[in-house]
């Protein structure tokens, strides 16, 4: 019985392969479309894609090709070719505005850009594109069943951009070793804190601002030193007001003690 079943499966497999090969070579668009749909239904998306790619130019713009272009787009999506899938879904949504699949296509187009977004340390052009696409979807379909997922993606992407911005500001702090670079670091940290007031990185950013102000004051020329020590002391106050039990508190307290000691020379 097992041999019979195996034989039947082999025959079906060979028949399927033969049907697919014939469709690839066929000049009949309907044959290619039929076999492509069969390959898609079987989860053989790469094979379906090869056939859809052959016939798509001939069907482009035709109202009766709606299902074809939907499956064509999904084949790119299911094979993780997200650039091409995003383009095809966007084209589908534009060409078939009355389609019941339009909303899904618009969401999947935006999702493709989300999936193309790289880790935070790399260029974030695709992240910006994804946010624009997702926001456009949310604005167009405020009651969509895909809205929770779209909002989740937006939150994740914004957090990624926020982390990128923080790492850039932190880099200014890391490389600073003279007065001009200290000022650049202070500006970068101030901009970050202003741009992302609710950021989870605020505690560290405020500490780095204080630490930078401390370094600037300690390396300052004498006639500017008092003002810069006071500025650093104010930065300490802002930092501790935000997070009185910060993990950076001990380091900050040690620097504050030095600041207070340095300020004594100006009170005489």
């Amino acid at each position: 019985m097992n041999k019979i079943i195996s034989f039947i499966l082999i025959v079906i497999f060979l028949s399927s392969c033969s049907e697919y090969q014939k469709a690839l070579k066929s000049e009949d668009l309907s044959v290619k479309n039929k076999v492509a749909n069969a390959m898609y239904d079987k989860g053989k998306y790469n094979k379906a894609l090869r056939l859809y790619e052959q016939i798509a130019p001939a069907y482009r713009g035709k109202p009766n090709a709606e299902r074809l272009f939907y499956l064509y787009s999904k084949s790119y999506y299911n094979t993780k070719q997200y650039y091409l899938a995003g383009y095809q879904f966007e084209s589908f949504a534009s060409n078939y505005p009355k389609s019941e699949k339009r909303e899904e296509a618009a969401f999947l187009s935006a999702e493709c850009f989300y999936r193309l977004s790289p880790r935070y340390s790399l260029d974030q052009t695709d992240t910006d594109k994804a946010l624009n696409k997702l926001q456009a979807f949310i604005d167009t379909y405020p009651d969509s069943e895909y809205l929770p997922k779209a909002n989740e993606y937006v939150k994740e992407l914004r957090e990624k951009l926020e982390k990128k911005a923080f790492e850039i500001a932190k880099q200014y702090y890391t490389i600073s070793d003279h007065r001009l670079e200290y000022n650049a670091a202070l500006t970068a940290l101030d901009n970050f804190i202003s741009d992302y007031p609710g950021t989870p990185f605020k505690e560290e950013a405020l500490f780095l601002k204080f630490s930078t102000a401390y370094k600037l004051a300690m390396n300052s020329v004498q006639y500017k030193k008092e003002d810069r020590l006071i500025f650093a002391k104010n930065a300490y106050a802002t930092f501790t007001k935000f997070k009185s039990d910060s993990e950076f508190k001990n380091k900050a307290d040690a620097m504050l003690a030095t600041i207070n000691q340095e300020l004594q020379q100006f009170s005489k």
Side-chain angles (χ1 to χ4, degrees):
M1 179 62 70
N2 288 336
K3 289 183 178 180
I4 294 173
I5 294 173
S6 296
F7 176 75
I8 292 172
L9 291 174
I10 290 171
V11 170
I12 293 173
F13 174 75
L14 292 175
S15 174
S16 175
C17 288
S18 175
E19 182 184 30
Y20 173 69
Q21 291 300 326
K22 287 179 181 178
L24 281 176
K25 298 174 183 177
S26 175
E27 298 295 325
D28 190 329
L29 297 181
S30 63
V31 169
K32 289 180 181 291
N33 192 16
K34 179 181 177 181
V35 175
N37 292 343
M39 292 294 107
Y40 182 92
D41 291 340
K42 293 176 182 177
K44 298 178 179 180
Y45 303 117
N46 281 308
K47 287 187 175 182
L49 197 50
R50 285 190 65 189
L51 290 167
Y52 288 136
E53 286 173 340
Q54 288 184 350
I55 61 178
Y59 282 94
R60 195 168 301 283
K62 294 182 178 180
N64 63 350
E66 178 183 328
R67 184 169 185 267
L68 184 158
F69 281 102
Y70 172 74
L71 296 180
Y72 183 28
S73 304
K74 284 294 291 284
S75 294
Y76 277 126
Y77 180 84
N78 289 332
T79 54
K80 299 183 179 181
Q81 299 183 64
Y82 294 122
Y83 272 117
L84 293 171
Y87 168 78
Q88 289 298 335
F89 279 126
E90 191 170 47
S91 178
F92 177 90
S94 175
N95 291 331
Y96 301 98
K98 296 181 179 180
S99 172
E100 63 178 18
K101 298 291 187 181
R102 185 175 189 267
E103 181 180 324
E104 179 191 0
F107 171 72
L108 290 177
S109 176
E111 186 188 58
C112 285
F113 282 97
Y114 159 79
R115 295 189 179 279
L116 288 166
S117 174
R119 64 181 184 273
Y120 78 90
S121 58
L122 300 177
D123 179 77
Q124 294 301 303
T125 299
D126 283 331
T127 302
D128 290 328
K129 287 182 182 178
L131 278 170
N132 289 335
K133 298 286 185 183
L134 286 163
Q135 192 59 57
F137 173 81
I138 290 168
D139 293 342
T140 304
Y141 301 99
D143 301 316
S144 173
E145 63 178 294
Y146 303 106
L147 192 64
K149 182 60 71 173
N151 285 327
E152 179 185 323
Y153 289 159
V154 166
K155 181 176 182 293
E156 183 180 334
L157 293 174
R158 284 178 176 166
E159 287 174 351
K160 185 184 292 187
L161 290 178
E162 189 174 305
K163 185 171 178 60
K164 173 78 171 181
F166 175 66
E167 291 299 326
I168 290 173
K170 189 175 181 179
Q171 185 67 17
Y172 277 98
Y173 168 82
T174 302
I175 64 174
S176 60
D177 62 2
H178 59 75
R179 287 192 297 275
L180 290 177
E181 289 176 347
Y182 294 143
N183 283 319
L186 285 171
T187 299
L189 289 162
D190 270 340
N191 288 340
F192 173 78
I193 294 166
S194 174
D195 292 342
Y196 302 96
T199 177
F201 303 110
K202 188 169 184 177
E203 175 188 346
E204 187 175 357
L206 287 171
F207 169 72
L208 294 179
K209 178 182 176 180
F210 165 60
S211 181
T212 305
Y214 169 81
K215 291 178 181 179
L216 177 61
M218 297 307 294
N219 290 279
S220 179
V221 293
Q222 191 65 18
Y223 76 95
K224 290 185 176 182
K225 193 165 189 176
E226 183 179 13
D227 287 343
R228 287 174 173 171
L229 287 167
I230 293 171
F231 176 81
K233 192 170 182 176
N234 289 336
Y236 170 87
T238 301
F239 161 65
T240 52
K241 182 179 179 180
F242 177 77
K243 185 74 171 177
S244 60
D245 59 345
S246 171
E247 63 178 296
F248 307 109
K249 181 73 161 46
N250 289 339
K251 291 181 180 179
D253 286 347
M255 286 187 278
L256 179 65
T258 303
I259 289 171
N260 287 330
Q261 186 177 1
E262 289 289 322
L263 281 171
Q264 289 179 7
Q265 66 179 295
F266 298 101
S267 61
K268 295 178 181 179

